[in-house]
Amino acid sequence: MTLWGGRFSQGTADTVFALSRSVHFDWRLAPYDIRSSLAHLGALESSGVLEKSDATAIKTALHGLASEVESGAFSPNDHDEDVHSALERGLNEKLGALGGALRAGRSRNDQVTTDLRLFSIDHMLEIARQITLLQIAILEKAEEYVNDSAPGFTHIQHAQPVSFGHELAKHAHAFARDLDRINDWLARTSVSSLGAGALAGSSLPLDPAATASDLGFTSVFANSIDAVSDRDYVAEALFILSLVGVHLSRIGEEWTLWASTEFAWARVSDAYSTGSSIMPQKKNPDMAELARGKSGRLIGNLVSVLTMLKGLPFAYNRDLQEDKEPLFDSVDTLLLVLPAVTGMIATTDFDREKMSLAAPMGYSLATEIADYLVLKKIAFAQAHEAAGKCVALCEENGRQLHQLTDIELASIHPALDPGVRLVLTVHGALNSRTTHGGTAPALVAAQISQALKINSGTMAAITNAQERFLEMMSA
């Protein structure tokens, strides 16, 4: 079924219909389309465009259709062009010609973007919930290892010793920024497009603000042309989802390295690993690798939509049909990846002894020597030079910094007295990093505790928002 054709003298070619048809992917908008139809029906009734008896009959039919869609009793057929035409066919089967009355005062142009906003809000709230669960898993794992030392890395080279809990907890802060972005996005996306019509609004006495309120939107469009052509919310959602994917990819990269034989730090649970079809000994961290790999797909979806949007003139163009599949795919991808990564993190154990033994390797305590000299009022440039000479001497003799003798240290700089040995330990190095956000274990424990409290509030807010959305959809 199509929603147009009166001025055409012949039907569309099969190839045209096949290219134009979108119901095979936009059918998942059906629950949102029915809910926006109920809101539009209320506007038609309250304005007097529809008689109360007709509106009641249509409302009953829409609720019946919603139940049939949910159960699978009603679904698209081979002749339906899109979700809108399929649902109107369903109404017509129940009501006859009265089913077409609901089309008054709206267009597929304002209808589809309203549906897509509702879909996006619904699913972004669920993604926010899954991100929060992931954060909790990260922070709880970080709590286990607050007092365990490990090498910190820059350029994938040993840099300075850190609390391993600090290393793990950093990921929770990246996802906190993602949640902030989702929250900002929700405010910008909660704008109803219903009532904009094809592009110019409607001559019928409708009330778009009332419809917006009925659908749970916080505001209504200001410009009807912009309302039907705006897909910023799709592009912005795809950016947020792709950045979540990048943050997941970083976790995937680290877990893959830590699980390697060369590192041998991470023991990934069997439940989150796979084997080899030819090598019986293999235990591969495939969830980490898939998290890393899926990020490319998420970035690609963003680029696809931005490219589609970049040259569209005036109001609605059919190019906008291409906004849905990338968004659907990115949502589906993250809803697969997030729970798997959460489980992988929660069930991974780390080898404390290996990490601790590696912490001072690579002369990672050299900065402690420089800082020790600075506290003795030596200019940092000179202190840095002296610390570098200590490293050079160790490299010549195959030793670590703490193995230098008192005489050797004093020969490099007279201020390097025996007291420097107090800072040439991993324990001393960690506990000295007491500036805000630093790696001293006591600070890290406090950071994690505070982050978990914030997470608790975030989860409560997301749950409330989801319950409100569900209540709106059930009206």
Side-chain angles (χ1 to χ4, degrees):
M1 175 181 173
T2 62
L3 301 181
W4 50 271
R7 62 92 67 207
F8 289 81
S9 58
Q10 65 182 67
T12 55
D14 290 345
T15 54
V16 172
F17 183 74
L19 178 60
S20 178
R21 192 169 186 261
S22 61
V23 72
H24 52 289
F25 60 80
D26 67 18
W27 180 244
R28 67 191 299 176
L29 295 178
Y32 310 98
D33 193 80
I34 291 172
R35 181 61 185 88
S36 67
S37 292
L38 284 164
H40 183 61
L41 176 65
L44 292 174
E45 181 183 3
S46 63
S47 66
V49 173
L50 277 179
E51 295 292 340
K52 182 176 178 59
S53 58
D54 288 342
T56 299
I58 295 173
K59 183 176 182 179
T60 300
L62 281 171
H63 281 298
L65 193 56
S67 297
E68 292 170 12
V69 168
E70 184 177 8
S71 69
F74 181 84
S75 60
N77 64 31
D78 292 340
H79 304 290
D80 291 324
E81 184 180 17
D82 56 25
V83 60
H84 318 294
S85 59
L87 290 173
E88 185 165 321
R89 173 177 61 82
L91 276 182
N92 290 342
E93 290 173 358
K94 292 178 179 296
L95 299 171
L98 181 59
L102 190 56
R103 206 189 304 173
R106 74 173 180 184
S107 161
R108 283 186 297 181
N109 295 0
D110 62 341
Q111 187 177 355
V112 70
T113 188
T114 302
D115 298 348
L116 194 56
R117 284 177 187 269
L118 292 173
F119 168 90
S120 301
I121 291 168
D122 189 10
H123 286 77
M124 285 292 269
L125 285 171
E126 178 57 23
I127 285 170
R129 191 179 77 87
Q130 292 294 335
I131 291 172
T132 306
L133 291 172
L134 172 58
Q135 282 184 296
I136 292 169
I138 291 168
L139 292 168
E140 289 179 347
K141 184 61 61 173
E143 272 189 317
E144 292 182 40
Y145 294 93
V146 166
N147 295 308
D148 294 292
S149 60
F153 294 88
T154 62
H155 308 278
I156 320 185
Q157 303 292 318
H158 284 215
Q160 293 175 291
V162 296
S163 155
F164 191 62
H166 196 205
E167 184 78 76
L168 292 172
K170 73 176 189 286
H171 293 294
H173 295 278
F175 290 117
R177 294 190 294 274
D178 292 326
L179 289 171
D180 284 344
R181 276 182 279 270
I182 290 174
N183 196 48
D184 292 342
W185 173 90
L186 284 167
R188 279 187 291 279
T189 302
S190 189
V191 181
S192 177
S193 307
L194 202 57
L199 78 162
S202 176
S203 61
L204 301 180
L206 304 178
D207 186 355
T211 306
S213 178
D214 186 13
L215 291 172
F217 291 111
T218 56
S219 63
V220 67
F221 64 90
N223 180 296
S224 59
I225 300 175
D226 177 65
V228 299
S229 58
D230 170 31
R231 293 299 185 277
D232 288 6
Y233 65 95
V234 175
E236 189 177 356
L238 288 170
F239 167 72
I240 294 168
L241 299 180
S242 65
L243 196 52
V244 172
V246 168
H247 292 150
L248 288 166
S249 181
R250 291 191 64 193
I251 289 176
E253 175 72 2
E254 289 180 3
W255 246 254
T256 302
L257 288 171
W258 288 336
S260 68
T261 302
E262 286 68 28
F263 266 85
W265 289 8
R267 291 185 290 270
V268 180
S269 166
D270 286 358
Y272 292 91
S273 305
T274 64
S276 165
S277 61
I278 190 172
M279 296 171 284
Q281 84 282 6
K282 293 298 295 297
K283 180 182 175 182
N284 302 323
D286 279 10
M287 297 309 100
E289 294 171 14
L290 285 168
R292 188 176 59 191
K294 294 289 186 182
S295 63
R297 181 177 188 144
L298 297 167
I299 294 166
N301 287 336
L302 169 62
V303 173
S304 173
V305 167
L306 288 175
T307 305
M308 179 268 291
L309 291 174
K310 72 176 183 63
L312 297 187
F314 310 126
Y316 182 86
N317 293 272
R318 194 59 179 273
D319 311 50
L320 291 172
Q321 183 169 301
E322 296 300 308
D323 60 356
K324 297 169 198 64
E325 288 177 288
L327 179 63
F328 295 163
D329 182 71
S330 289
V331 165
D332 292 345
T333 296
L334 276 186
L335 290 178
L336 279 174
V337 174
L338 283 165
V341 172
T342 299
M344 177 189 74
I345 289 172
T347 57
T348 298
D349 291 320
F350 292 91
D351 191 318
R352 289 179 163 89
E353 184 179 0
K354 278 191 173 69
M355 295 189 300
S356 177
L357 290 172
M361 297 296 102
Y363 313 109
S364 66
L365 297 171
T367 305
E368 309 310 312
I369 295 175
D371 286 351
Y372 181 80
L373 291 173
V374 167
L375 291 173
K376 286 183 168 291
K377 310 305 180 186
I378 308 300
F380 186 78
Q382 296 176 31
H384 188 284
E385 180 74 13
K389 288 180 178 179
C390 290
V391 172
L393 181 58
C394 286
E395 285 184 322
E396 289 175 12
N397 297 284
R399 290 181 289 170
Q400 292 298 314
L401 290 169
H402 68 277
Q403 294 174 318
L404 293 175
T405 67
D406 291 348
I407 294 174
E408 288 172 325
L409 288 166
S411 70
I412 290 172
H413 196 288
L416 288 176
D417 54 39
V420 74
R421 297 195 179 281
L422 296 175
V423 301
L424 284 179
T425 66
V426 171
H427 179 78
L430 291 185
N431 284 289
S432 70
R433 303 290 162 179
T434 57
T435 52
H436 179 76
T439 199
L443 280 182
V444 175
Q447 294 162 19
I448 293 171
S449 177
Q450 178 63 18
L452 283 168
K453 288 179 183 177
I454 293 171
N455 272 112
S456 179
T458 300
M459 182 61 84
I462 293 168
T463 299
N464 288 337
Q466 288 186 302
E467 288 174 352
R468 288 194 304 271
F469 191 90
L470 182 61
E471 183 179 352
M472 180 278 297
M473 286 292 291
S474 301

